[in-house]
Amino acid sequence: MIRVGVVGYGTIGKRVADAIQLQDDMELSGVTAHSYHYRMRLAQEQGVKIFHLGNPESFAESNLELEGDIHNLLEDSDIVVDCSPKPFGAQNKALYQQHNVKAIFQGGEKADIADASFVAQCNFEDAVGKNYVRVVSCNTTGLSRTIHALQKAYGVKRARATLIRRAADPAADKGGPVNSIIPSLELPSHHGPDVRTVIPEVEVFTTALIVPTTLMHVHNLSVHLKGSPSTEEVVDLFRRTPRVRVLAGSDNIKSTSNIVEMARDMGFKRGDMHDICIWEKGVGIHGEELFYPQAVHQEADVVPENIDAIRAMMGISDMKTSMRKTDESLKPQHLKQATLMH
């Protein structure tokens, strides 16, 4: 049983901690926090051990029972998933080195913090046995999943994407545009070069803008293929690609809010959508250029990647087995039962 600690218990950290507890080969050794937040009380009520990060006094009025500090958590862990906001992950790395504990960082950190950047279906083997791995950002994960599938099937000459980014997570109460659209003046946006840390052989150029929504990101992609598939063949490829979901035109899912509502109706916790969603009606080919729109749930798509990264780094599973175990564990119970029946 792998003992896993989670450093940072925010949007991603709480989801990763939940996912760890669903695995039959992992044990959550605890989570950390800088100061008291209601999330810590809820975690403790569910039996999660809480460790402080440097300031136990901030918990004085909370009635939480602290298990100790981050050093105690590291002593009880084989590996940690650092879900701290940037740049705290980089600052924490010295602690992990001091305790000789493997660590996973998130996509907000620079690529050179780790031995490898990671998207499970693209480069699982690059993380096997490594001490430090970076699970790339939600947007980079989304781009990597679909572009990698196209690269394997047909070859990709180059990919272009415009990222329409949400302004903030739903729970955020400050920041982000309210009555404006903010273009990224960075060319390319950082996402394209980041994809190449996972798929170095593909030329990817990205632009981005931020819009006043909280639910999901949307990518509009233009991919020049080496092969000449039909639109139907590309759609079938996406249907067979792990962690990609094709939204059938007949399902009448027209927006990101529809996708989130569908995830809630399917019973996924918090309405999380771990798959990258592609609108079937939006897939089209002009000459050798493929166009498609995809939606990325920024709170959820990297969660299974963190679980698979743990197995890769600890050397206990191959890619297909790990992804299958992870994906099955994250399904609502009624969907698990449907899988068993079939």
Side-chain angles (χ1 to χ4, degrees):
M1 189 75 73
I2 304 168
R3 300 174 303 163
V4 188
V6 174
V7 176
Y9 197 68
T11 299
I12 300 299
K14 66 182 181 182
R15 287 171 164 83
V16 171
D18 285 351
I20 290 166
Q21 294 179 92
L22 295 173
Q23 309 310 309
D24 61 11
D25 51 4
M26 300 178 195
E27 176 185 4
L28 181 66
S29 49
V31 304
T32 69
H34 276 282
S35 58
Y36 175 71
H37 189 279
Y38 81 87
R39 285 192 295 265
M40 314 313 297
R41 174 176 55 80
L42 295 180
Q44 190 163 84
E45 288 174 356
Q46 296 167 37
V48 176
K49 296 179 179 179
I50 311 297
F51 297 79
H52 69 82
L53 255 174
N55 184 20
E57 291 77 16
S58 64
F59 293 86
E61 297 181 5
S62 68
N63 295 320
L64 285 181
E65 296 182 11
L66 297 175
E67 302 289 334
D69 63 13
I70 187 171
H71 295 280
N72 301 118
L73 175 63
L74 296 180
E75 289 168 2
D76 291 342
S77 302
D78 302 308
I79 187 170
V80 295
V81 182
D82 191 305
C83 299
S84 308
K86 64 178 181 183
F88 294 109
Q91 296 175 14
N92 292 336
K93 185 175 180 180
L95 283 174
Y96 308 145
Q97 292 171 321
Q98 175 186 336
H99 285 269
N100 196 29
V101 172
K102 292 175 182 278
I104 297 169
F105 302 95
Q106 304 307 305
E109 304 295 340
K110 295 186 182 300
D112 61 8
I113 194 175
D115 304 316
S117 294
F118 182 84
V119 175
Q121 64 212 69
C122 303
N123 66 337
F124 188 94
E125 292 300 319
D126 289 350
V128 172
K130 295 294 194 300
N131 290 323
Y132 305 106
V133 165
R134 181 182 70 120
V135 168
V136 294
S137 73
C138 54
N139 281 306
T140 302
T141 297
L143 291 167
S144 297
R145 285 183 191 169
T146 58
I147 293 173
H148 178 259
L150 295 168
Q151 167 71 356
K152 283 181 61 180
Y154 311 118
V156 172
K157 292 181 180 179
R158 59 185 178 274
R160 304 287 182 261
T162 297
L163 280 63
I164 304 161
R165 301 178 59 197
R166 64 93 179 94
D169 288 333
D173 54 10
K174 61 181 179 179
V178 174
N179 190 30
S180 62
I181 297 173
I182 304 174
S184 171
L185 304 181
E186 176 188 32
L187 293 174
S189 70
H190 66 272
H191 311 90
D194 205 33
V195 171
R196 301 196 73 174
T197 67
V198 178
I199 318 172
E201 66 275 16
V202 177
E203 179 194 340
V204 182
F205 191 97
T206 53
T207 57
L209 48 90
I210 301 173
V211 299
T213 184
T214 64
L215 295 179
M216 301 180 83
H217 304 298
V218 170
H219 304 163
N220 277 339
L221 285 101
S222 163
V223 181
H224 286 253
L225 300 174
K226 295 178 181 177
S228 301
S230 66
T231 299
E232 292 74 19
E233 288 171 331
V234 171
V235 170
D236 183 62
L237 170 68
F238 285 145
R239 284 201 178 101
R240 292 181 284 107
T241 299
R243 296 176 183 167
V244 172
R245 180 181 297 264
V246 174
L247 305 174
S250 59
D251 284 345
N252 202 31
I253 299 171
K254 298 179 179 179
S255 66
T256 54
S257 59
N258 290 167
I259 295 172
V260 171
E261 188 71 3
M262 176 183 70
R264 291 171 179 154
D265 290 342
M266 292 175 71
F268 284 97
K269 188 171 183 179
R270 304 186 180 94
D272 285 350
M273 174 54 67
H274 303 104
D275 296 338
I276 306 307
C277 295
I278 296 175
W279 282 275
E280 179 183 13
K281 284 189 174 182
V283 180
I285 294 175
H286 179 72
E288 62 181 17
E289 191 171 8
L290 166 69
F291 298 89
Y292 61 96
Q294 63 181 32
V296 175
H297 190 185
Q298 77 282 357
E299 298 173 290
D301 72 321
V302 301
V303 173
E305 309 300 332
N306 278 277
I307 300 303
D308 293 329
I310 292 169
R311 292 198 181 98
M313 294 169 70
M314 300 302 294
I316 64 167
S317 181
D318 61 88
M319 179 192 73
K320 289 184 178 180
T321 302
S322 180
M323 291 183 67
R324 185 167 56 248
K325 283 173 65 75
T326 300
D327 293 347
E328 191 65 24
S329 73
L330 295 175
K331 288 180 180 178
Q333 189 60 39
H334 70 282
L335 294 181
K336 293 179 185 177
Q337 292 170 347
T339 300
L340 289 174
M341 290 175 63
H342 291 88

